[in-house]
Amino acid sequence: MRNTHQLYRERRNALLRSMRERGAGGLALLPTAPEVARNRDSLFPYRPDSYFHYLTGFPEPDAAMALVAGPDGDRHVLFCRDKNEEREIWDGFRYGPDAAREIFGFDEAYPISALGEKLPEFASDQPSLFTPLGLFEPWDRRITQLLNDVRDRARTGVSAPGEVVDVRVVLDAMRLVKDEHEIGLMRRAGAISSGAHRRAMERTRPGWFEYQVEAELLHEFLRNGAQAVAYPSIVASGPNACVLHYRDNDRELIDGELLLIDAGCEYRGYASDITRTFPVGGSFSGPQKDVYELVLASQLACLEAVRPGAAFNDYHRVAERVLAQGYIDLGLCSGTVDEVLENGSYKQFYMHRAGHWLGLDVHDAGLYQVHGVSQTLVPGMVLTVEPGTYIRPADNVPEHFWNVGVRIEDDVLVTATGHENLTAATPKTVAEVEAACVR
Ligand code: GLY
Ligand code: MN
Ligand code: MN
């Protein structure tokens, strides 16, 4: 098996190749994310920038990377914090440039304090500069300063890059198709999150508060080696299930209501994103089951539409059609399915897209349309499939459906022959869910 550092180096080589294919090569510069203060001396838990992580695997803050596609060949350069015995006593280990160069497969490494001195040298006489623009404001200023510094050297005979290209255009396309290493990590993330949803079903009981269920999820994430949640967990009971990005997680769970949980861990940088909905008391009521079975039918139909060669948009259309027909059958919408789709009356109950790309970011990098045409699915893409139905109290809605909110979400890898559901182990049918809830 390849060393992980070789894998990152191959990704950097792919970026270098695409820089050369565009023209005369150039310089790529990427910073990692800054540390962010929570209050006074406390920082938010640190997470490297996803693009930087994708290309380096280097975990520390205060780092940047330079790739030179020059006439004398390629150079992979890392800037990072120096070793510092005093700071390491307080805050923990730092690689320092020498060890970082070896371990992360760079040709050269320098202290981050040398960035200002080195960059004008790297940027001189480069036709193009590839860097993220608008990602971090201090970095944008640094890039402007760098270009000015090189221009100031004009009398020494050097020229500054004539164009600045947002490197994310290339990286987004690379990140859209996952390699085997990424897929392995995403399988693990999916498995851990799947276990957390099962644990929530097994333990939840009437009288608990939503935050107690959130604690069960987090317990399962962390005890299995996940580093964090991929996004704040949504634990939404009763009417809260109809709030798409519900955050408070502080309501008491009432027997007979539904609980919608949208939660996934981040495992070694990679997100998972699962939603399940189950009855607080362990048994669906008739109207709850009707809506649940409809959302499940639409989710299964969507999964069938995820295969290579299909358009990303296809499964969104499938979700709308199955749900619209279901709303007619349940007496929630009137007219033919084409009329309901055309007049948009189904949007009273289903108002979001059926999924998104998934990877290092929960709403991952990658275009959904290319020149106005839906992206074609190819093996290695990972996406979520997550139709739902949210029925708020309203005059045109039978009361037995009020506050029924259901979403079912899985993480799906496009394969050569169809798809692989990375979160298939999560209870999903009515029978599976009710069985998981039995105590
Ligand atoms: N959890 C965020 C989403 O489902 O898109
Ligand atoms: Mn999602
Ligand atoms: Mn989700």
Side-chain angles (χ1 to χ4, degrees):
M1 209 185 103
R2 279 180 318 210
N3 286 330
T4 316
H5 86 237
Q6 277 173 294
L7 180 103
Y8 293 111
R9 193 169 172 106
E10 281 166 22
R11 291 181 191 159
R12 296 196 296 272
N13 284 335
L15 173 57
L16 283 159
R17 273 196 303 279
S18 87
M19 288 160 63
R20 289 188 186 283
E21 279 161 15
R22 272 187 99 256
L27 170 68
L29 293 176
L30 279 101
T32 193
E35 290 187 291
V36 180
R38 184 171 187 274
N39 53 35
R40 255 181 225 267
D41 293 340
S42 292
L43 303 174
F44 280 106
Y46 183 68
R47 182 180 187 275
D49 173 67
S50 295
Y51 294 102
F52 184 83
H53 175 77
Y54 181 75
L55 291 174
T56 68
F58 189 70
E60 295 179 14
D62 282 332
M65 184 207 77
L67 296 179
V68 185
D72 305 327
D74 295 342
R75 288 163 75 187
H76 299 230
V77 187
L78 180 71
F79 294 87
C80 66
R81 299 181 303 192
D82 255 327
K83 294 293 285 176
N84 181 325
E85 199 177 327
E86 164 82 3
R87 287 314 328 157
E88 291 184 55
I89 287 171
W90 287 88
D91 300 329
F93 175 78
R94 300 176 173 200
Y95 283 97
D98 289 340
R101 186 189 61 243
E102 282 288 313
I103 292 168
F104 294 89
F106 282 84
D107 302 319
E108 303 161 48
Y110 302 101
I112 188 75
S113 55
L115 196 64
E117 167 202 328
K118 287 280 176 196
L119 286 191
E121 175 198 320
F122 289 162
S124 294
D125 289 332
Q126 292 291 353
S128 308
L129 174 59
F130 299 80
T131 196
L133 291 169
L135 185 60
F136 304 117
E137 226 178 316
W139 181 257
D140 292 346
R141 282 198 297 276
R142 169 151 236 155
I143 291 299
T144 313
Q145 185 61 47
L146 167 65
L147 293 170
N148 284 338
D149 287 348
V150 184
R151 285 187 201 108
D152 285 347
R153 297 180 177 195
R155 279 190 302 279
T156 68
V158 299
S159 60
E163 64 167 359
V164 182
V165 179
D166 196 324
V167 70
R168 288 177 293 181
V169 174
V170 179
L171 294 177
D172 284 353
M174 286 170 63
R175 283 176 53 185
L176 188 50
V177 180
K178 275 68 181 171
D179 60 35
E180 277 306 316
H181 180 74
E182 295 182 286
I183 291 167
L185 297 178
M186 293 190 77
R187 277 201 190 99
R188 181 76 188 127
I192 294 172
S193 296
S194 214
H197 279 262
R198 182 179 286 280
R199 182 184 177 96
M201 289 178 196
E202 286 168 359
R203 293 183 170 243
T204 294
R205 60 206 63 214
W208 272 27
F209 284 78
E210 291 163 344
Y211 51 75
Q212 290 175 270
V213 185
E214 183 180 6
E216 295 294 334
L217 297 162
L218 194 57
H219 173 95
E220 195 70 10
F221 292 162
L222 297 187
R223 86 182 187 89
N224 281 291
Q227 288 72 41
V229 289
Y231 54 92
S233 301
I234 296 171
V235 183
S237 66
N240 295 335
C242 297
V243 179
L244 296 180
H245 291 164
Y246 175 69
R247 290 279 166 74
D248 293 343
N249 293 0
D250 61 358
R251 184 174 177 275
E252 188 172 347
L253 307 183
I254 296 170
D255 200 1
E257 290 183 342
L258 291 179
L259 180 63
L260 182 156
I261 298 178
D262 185 343
C265 69
E266 180 176 292
Y267 181 73
R268 294 172 60 189
Y270 284 82
S272 52
D273 181 7
I274 303 179
T275 307
R276 286 295 185 269
T277 309
F278 60 91
V280 168
S283 318
F284 287 97
S285 72
Q288 288 169 350
K289 193 184 291 187
D290 287 344
V291 175
Y292 191 90
E293 293 282 20
L294 170 60
V295 175
L296 179 61
S298 76
Q299 208 250 4
L300 296 175
C302 286
L303 286 171
E304 286 307 304
V306 177
R307 55 180 183 287
F312 177 76
N313 246 340
D314 289 352
Y315 75 96
H316 303 268
R317 296 283 94 80
V318 169
E320 286 165 343
R321 182 161 284 273
V322 175
L323 291 173
Q325 182 61 58
Y327 299 156
I328 296 166
D329 298 342
L330 293 174
L332 291 164
C333 288
S334 52
T336 66
V337 68
D338 287 322
E339 284 165 359
V340 167
L341 289 171
E342 176 66 25
N343 65 28
S345 57
Y346 71 95
K347 291 182 185 164
Q348 181 178 351
F349 311 111
Y350 174 57
M351 60 298 281
H352 59 74
R353 302 271 292 163
H356 49 83
W357 306 129
L358 185 72
L360 286 165
D361 301 326
V362 64
H363 291 176
D364 203 33
L367 293 176
Y368 290 96
Q369 296 193 356
V370 182
H371 304 305
V373 177
S374 180
Q375 185 83 253
T376 302
L377 301 184
V378 301
M381 290 177 169
V382 181
L383 47 81
T384 66
V385 175
E386 50 176 308
T389 291
Y390 316 91
I391 310 177
R392 289 167 169 269
D395 290 343
N396 64 340
V397 173
E399 207 169 322
H400 54 262
F401 285 132
W402 286 10
N403 296 321
V404 171
V406 175
R407 180 163 64 254
I408 303 174
E409 175 174 26
D410 282 310
D411 303 343
V412 182
L413 166 71
V414 181
T415 63
T417 52
H419 66 258
E420 176 187 335
N421 185 344
L422 306 180
T423 51
T426 326
K428 186 157 76 170
T429 64
V430 165
E432 286 166 355
V433 168
E434 289 190 339
C437 290
V438 168
R439 289 179 288 274

